[in-house]
Amino acid sequence: MTGRDAFVTDKQRYVGTYARRVEDYRLLTGKACFTDDIHLENMLHAVIVRSPVAHGKLLGIDVEEARGMPGVHAVYTGEDVARIMGKVFKMPLRLSPVPEHEPFEQTVVAVDKVRYVGEPLAIVVAQTTAMAEDAAACVYPDIESLPAVTDWETSARNEILLFEENGTNCPITYIAQKGDARSITGPYVRRERFVTQRHSAVTMETRSLVAHWDGGHMTVYGAAKVPFTTRRTLARSLDLPIEAVDMIEMDVGGGFGVRGEFYPEDFLVPFASLQLGRPVKWVEDRLENLLGSNHSRQMECELEIVCELDGRILALRGVVHTDSGAYMRSSGAIPPRNVVQFMSGGMDIEHLYFESSVHLTNKAPIGTYRGPGRFEADYFRERILQIAADELGIDQVTFRRMNLVRSEQMPYPLATLDKPHKPEELDSGDYELSLNECLEGFGWEEKLPLQGKLIDGLYHGIAIGTFIEGGGGGIREAARLEIEEDGMVTVYVGSTSLGQGVVTILTQIAADTLEIPMERIRVRHGSTIYLKEGFGSFHSRSTALGGSAVLTTAQSLLEKVREAAAEHFHCSPGEIEISPGLVASCGDSILTAADLGRMKIRAEGQFASHNHTYAYGAAAAHVTVDPATGKVELIDYYGVEDVGKIINRLTSKGQAIGGVVQGLGGVFLENMAYDEHGQFLAGTLADYLMPTATDFPVVRATETEHAPTPHNPLGAKGCGEGGIVPVGGVVANAVAAALSSLGVQTNALPLTPCKVWQMIDERRQEA
């Protein structure tokens, strides 16, 4: 009996197993195709000219010398774009747009004014990249410098305006509330200030595009994340019918929320191809990547907690200020709105009130980065919870346990956001169970005697925290399944692959539903040539929505098979039996999968849900701190997350571990620093430090599935962001616990050795 026959006989199931990723063989053997691997006939190469000034009036750009250089085919400035297109297009927000954002949106190329170092001023197109770079060096912008706004406090004073015509640097203030938190008082009230620094996802592969206008159709290679949305935006910006534009998804070297949004280059490169009638390639270098990709995380929070003396939380309230950079761009509304709506996490708090103000500064615009707003909210909340527990003299585990949302309270309402008005509720779960599982897996009781102890010159600290992860955003996803003449089944889906293993997940779901081996499934994803509509991958939605679309469409395909077979055999559909291996029979007569393929059987469908899913969990950390140097070493980190339904235990664990390491980079290393003139100080990976494999050798994670979501047929909640969400709060609390005898409070990230040593030194001097 062959392996395939064994599957048919035993009805092997794939969902819930450690199935190996089907993507990996091709990726690991050099068969991947990234955008820079695209080489088209007569292709030209583009370089972007960027502003060297953070804030200034753009008086003009001298491009004559550049246009006359060898190999140069064109140089286009904002003035050229306006002349050719009749206007310079402004990039709309993709997520949660409201009218207040529109006056602060970014144009695809600077006109009249520049507002951050790295803002595109022009595109140079030449025969080679080297020729384009040489010409770009001979583009001379005339910029009258203006004072730079480099922090939210200066921005809030509105003395220096980025958009003079708008009269303010604050596009919007979000409010999220539940109950009457502003009037609640109690026997214990504590207010504290917390700060998270500006950092971002720095993907292994930088952004890149190849645009090809063939005289009637625009094809753009290098689409990622949300190709259909990008297609609509690009078609509108170029005044083309949407059917004249296609976005082709390539292999992607990392996404994490940053990759795949609509950036200025997503207009400029296709625009150049449209004008020249030739393919144009653009690949950003690492400096451009650090300068121009969406930044995130930079917030300051004044948070106040009100408690009974026994530790029961009565209210939580606060004000958040977000440094949003120079423009409202792409997904830039999400971090400042998420941070207030999800500030309470999985805590049962009756009264909540939070304000979140967006402040424009002369820095690169912000956007989403894995767990946007949630990483920051978790850090702010877990720090204030730990401060309250310590000052009330209550064990940190007891304090959290008594305030967790209970399973019988589900669905549990969170604070309601005002713009746009969006009530949210936690869907399902036993939060105390995940806390207990984390304590046991971490070895809490065994480690507890080390708390605050100085051993061999190092202080030890341990901490635990709880978290939630939102998923399933984007309302719906589309899929189409076709049986092929070779007996294979091709799955077309609007979800995109950003390295998260979505091809494997969707293959498992389709294989189980159709009862055929995974080897007989082909997945085609993302590109606009496959489906009429698609919604991509963000907000941990690929499994919850994309997977559910594949599941329901596969079920429809089985019904199509039943109907087609009944017509073929001249019997009723109820007489048709579909056997494992996708074999349809009526009595002794059968149709194999290949037979069905020749009958051109296909099914199209979509899955929609207006309810988000909420994975949840707990995480614990054990650190040591060297008081002589300020160096923090992570001894152990353990996380537990309940993701509703686990499709692939291998990829879910990989998501968790990867998220934790990214979070640790944000806690200890990463900082997109600017000076007082708005000049970028982190332009290389020697200045912007990233975690490596040897930095955090002991990171552990467990995924559970106690509480499937009721919002989709899979029960899956998504697990792409949960790993990163709790890291800031848990690790900062562990460092504070280690240094508790010195009175050090870890209320600002990153916790670099220099900063930790300074905090220790300040406390010693005060003592």
Side-chain angles (χ1 to χ4, degrees):
M1 189 185 309
T2 66
R4 182 167 296 182
D5 291 333
F7 166 82
V8 171
T9 302
D10 298 334
K11 293 186 179 181
Q12 178 182 341
R13 307 298 287 178
Y14 293 112
V15 169
T17 68
Y18 282 90
R20 294 179 64 179
R21 288 179 19 129
V22 300
E23 301 97 324
D24 287 351
Y25 178 80
R26 185 175 55 82
L27 293 169
L28 295 173
T29 55
K31 295 180 173 63
C33 187
F34 298 92
T35 308
D36 199 25
D37 294 320
I38 298 292
H39 302 284
L40 302 179
E41 187 177 358
N42 296 320
M43 188 168 68
L44 302 173
H45 298 265
V47 167
I48 307 298
V49 180
R50 302 180 183 276
S51 173
V53 175
H55 193 198
K57 296 179 181 178
L58 183 57
L59 304 178
I61 303 177
D62 183 354
V63 298
E64 291 308 309
E65 182 179 349
R67 282 176 173 156
M69 294 185 68
V72 173
H73 286 254
V75 180
Y76 299 111
T77 66
E79 183 178 317
D80 297 314
V81 172
R83 173 177 49 81
I84 294 169
M85 301 301 300
K87 65 176 182 178
V88 179
F89 183 73
K90 293 175 70 174
M91 299 176 290
L93 268 75
R94 179 177 67 85
L95 294 174
S96 298
V98 293
E100 290 93 329
H101 298 144
E102 294 177 8
F104 302 91
E105 291 172 347
Q106 183 177 2
T107 54
V108 291
V109 63
V111 288
D112 301 328
K113 196 174 186 185
V114 296
R115 296 179 175 90
Y116 67 97
V117 171
E119 182 169 1
L121 300 175
I123 181 171
V124 178
V125 186
Q127 201 68 33
T128 67
T129 302
M131 289 176 171
E133 288 177 342
D134 288 344
C138 296
V139 173
Y140 304 110
D142 183 6
I143 301 174
E144 180 186 322
S145 292
L146 297 170
V149 177
T150 58
D151 56 72
W152 76 262
E153 294 96 337
T154 303
S155 177
R157 289 196 290 269
N158 291 322
E159 296 169 355
I160 305 167
L161 295 172
L162 274 70
F163 292 82
E164 292 84 355
E165 65 275 17
N166 297 332
T168 180
N169 289 325
C170 182
I172 191 170
T173 294
Y174 298 98
I175 296 175
Q177 59 185 322
K178 184 177 77 168
D180 189 22
R182 285 181 288 180
S183 64
I184 296 294
T185 188
Y188 175 83
V189 180
R190 182 67 156 83
R191 189 174 183 87
E192 190 56 82
R193 171 180 170 270
F194 306 104
V195 176
T196 51
Q197 85 282 17
R198 174 175 287 244
H199 58 286
S200 182
V202 179
T203 57
M204 291 180 68
E205 181 202 16
T206 59
R207 293 182 297 132
S208 53
L209 294 172
V210 174
H212 182 201
W213 173 254
D214 65 3
H217 195 87
M218 176 68 72
T219 304
V220 179
Y221 301 88
K225 189 178 181 179
V226 286
F228 283 83
T229 302
T230 301
R231 177 198 199 189
R232 288 193 297 272
T233 305
L234 179 59
R236 191 162 68 250
S237 71
L238 294 176
D239 289 333
L240 294 174
I242 193 168
E243 60 271 14
V245 177
D246 271 314
M247 313 300 295
I248 307 300
E249 185 186 9
M250 309 302 297
D251 287 310
V252 174
F256 313 114
V258 172
R259 189 71 171 273
E261 297 291 349
F262 196 91
Y263 289 93
E265 298 85 1
D266 292 284
F267 168 85
L268 290 171
V269 178
F271 170 80
S273 178
L274 182 66
Q275 303 312 309
L276 298 170
R278 291 176 61 175
V280 178
K281 176 189 283 190
W282 167 76
V283 180
E284 70 177 355
D285 61 27
R286 184 57 69 184
L287 173 59
E288 289 181 294
N289 176 257
L290 292 166
L291 271 176
S293 291
N294 287 338
H295 297 178
S296 203
R297 302 284 199 240
Q298 189 169 13
M299 297 185 185
E300 182 173 316
C301 176
E302 291 278 347
L303 197 58
E304 187 169 72
I305 191 170
V306 182
C307 298
E308 299 282 11
L309 293 180
D310 65 358
R312 178 63 188 169
I313 302 173
L314 300 175
L316 191 64
R317 55 195 176 226
V319 176
V320 179
H321 299 281
T322 299
D323 183 333
S324 287
Y327 297 96
M328 296 300 298
R329 185 171 79 183
S330 63
S331 54
I334 298 303
R337 67 178 293 277
N338 277 4
V339 70
V340 289
Q341 186 157 38
F342 302 106
M343 186 74 79
S344 59
M347 294 289 119
D348 176 20
I349 306 173
E350 184 177 357
H351 300 283
L352 302 166
Y353 181 86
F354 308 105
E355 294 181 7
S356 176
S357 294
V358 171
H359 301 278
L360 299 187
T361 62
N362 294 119
K363 301 175 184 175
I366 70 160
T368 51
Y369 170 38
R370 201 175 194 173
R374 294 184 179 89
F375 173 93
E376 301 92 305
D378 242 64
Y379 169 68
F380 301 149
R381 182 190 68 254
E382 291 300 318
R383 282 298 296 134
I384 198 72
L385 293 184
Q386 191 59 50
I387 290 170
D390 291 342
E391 293 182 352
L392 289 168
I394 302 173
D395 170 71
Q396 61 178 296
V397 175
T398 302
F399 184 77
R400 285 167 174 79
R401 181 178 282 126
M402 75 167 68
N403 286 294
L404 280 174
V405 173
R406 301 181 304 279
S407 57
E408 61 268 23
Q409 294 176 281
M410 297 293 181
Y412 182 85
L414 297 170
T416 298
L417 191 75
D418 65 335
K419 299 171 185 174
H421 181 76
K422 186 67 171 70
E424 281 287 335
E425 58 183 23
L426 305 174
D427 51 352
S428 64
D430 188 335
Y431 290 12
E432 185 176 2
L433 176 60
S434 68
L435 175 64
N436 293 337
E437 289 174 333
C438 183
L439 291 167
E440 182 178 354
F442 180 68
W444 182 267
E445 293 299 326
E446 293 83 354
K447 291 182 172 70
L448 194 56
L450 296 172
Q451 187 76 294
K453 295 293 179 62
L454 182 64
I455 302 172
D456 296 330
L458 302 176
Y459 285 103
H460 287 252
I462 64 172
I464 194 163
T466 63
F467 66 96
I468 59 172
E469 172 192 358
I475 301 178
R476 66 186 184 274
E477 191 54 88
R480 183 174 81 252
L481 274 69
E482 299 181 359
I483 306 174
E484 308 291 355
E485 293 186 13
D486 58 1
M488 301 281 287
V489 175
T490 302
V491 176
Y492 299 94
V493 68
S495 300
T496 51
S497 176
L498 298 166
Q500 77 274 44
V502 67
V503 174
T504 302
I505 295 294
L506 300 182
T507 299
Q508 290 176 265
I509 294 169
D512 270 4
T513 308
L514 300 174
E515 291 193 85
I516 60 176
M518 288 177 62
E519 293 78 12
R520 283 176 55 186
I521 301 289
R522 300 186 187 101
V523 175
R524 302 287 183 261
H525 50 82
S527 298
T528 61
I529 58 175
Y530 294 139
L531 295 166
K532 296 176 183 176
E533 68 170 0
F535 297 89
S537 296
F538 58 96
H539 196 198
S540 295
R541 70 185 304 277
S542 297
T543 300
L545 293 180
S548 293
V550 169
L551 171 66
T552 55
T553 307
Q555 292 169 339
S556 297
L557 183 70
L558 292 176
E559 291 306 310
K560 296 275 189 181
V561 167
R562 194 178 303 279
E563 293 168 3
E567 183 178 348
H568 179 81
F569 292 129
H570 305 290
C571 64
S572 70
E575 296 178 79
I576 298 297
E577 180 181 351
I578 302 177
S579 305
L582 204 54
V583 175
S585 62
C586 180
D588 294 331
S589 301
I590 68 168
L591 289 170
T592 66
D595 294 330
L596 296 171
R598 286 187 285 272
M599 296 168 70
K600 306 296 183 185
I601 299 175
R602 65 174 61 184
E604 292 191 49
Q606 61 174 226
F607 176 78
S609 174
H610 290 271
N611 298 297
H612 292 157
T613 63
Y614 287 93
Y616 62 92
H622 174 199
V623 304
T624 61
V625 184
D626 185 343
T629 65
K631 178 176 174 56
V632 180
E633 183 176 354
L634 183 72
I635 303 301
D636 190 16
Y637 186 100
Y638 182 69
V640 172
E641 183 176 19
D642 194 296
V643 299
K645 174 62 178 177
I646 300 172
I647 307 301
N648 188 314
R649 296 182 181 276
L650 180 66
T651 59
S652 63
K653 185 176 290 292
Q655 290 278 13
I657 297 296
V660 171
V661 174
Q662 277 192 309
L664 291 169
V667 171
F668 291 121
L669 299 168
E670 301 176 52
N671 186 16
M672 287 179 157
Y674 285 79
D675 69 11
E676 68 275 17
H677 305 295
Q679 289 294 325
F680 192 54
L681 301 179
T684 73
L685 294 183
D687 307 298
Y688 186 85
L689 301 181
M690 299 285 293
T692 64
T694 58
D695 288 324
F696 309 114
V698 185
V699 175
R700 301 180 292 135
T702 296
E703 297 71 48
T704 61
E705 48 184 353
H706 301 305
T709 182
H711 297 324
N712 64 64
L714 289 168
K717 294 187 173 186
C719 61
E721 299 167 284
I724 200 172
V725 169
V727 178
V730 170
V731 173
N733 280 338
V735 174
L739 300 175
S740 58
S741 62
L742 303 178
V744 170
Q745 296 291 351
T746 51
N747 293 349
L749 299 180
L751 298 175
T752 63
C754 181
K755 285 190 176 181
V756 173
W757 182 88
Q758 287 175 339
M759 290 188 292
I760 294 171
D761 187 58
E762 288 171 4
R763 296 301 295 170
R764 282 173 171 166
Q765 292 191 33
E766 290 173 7

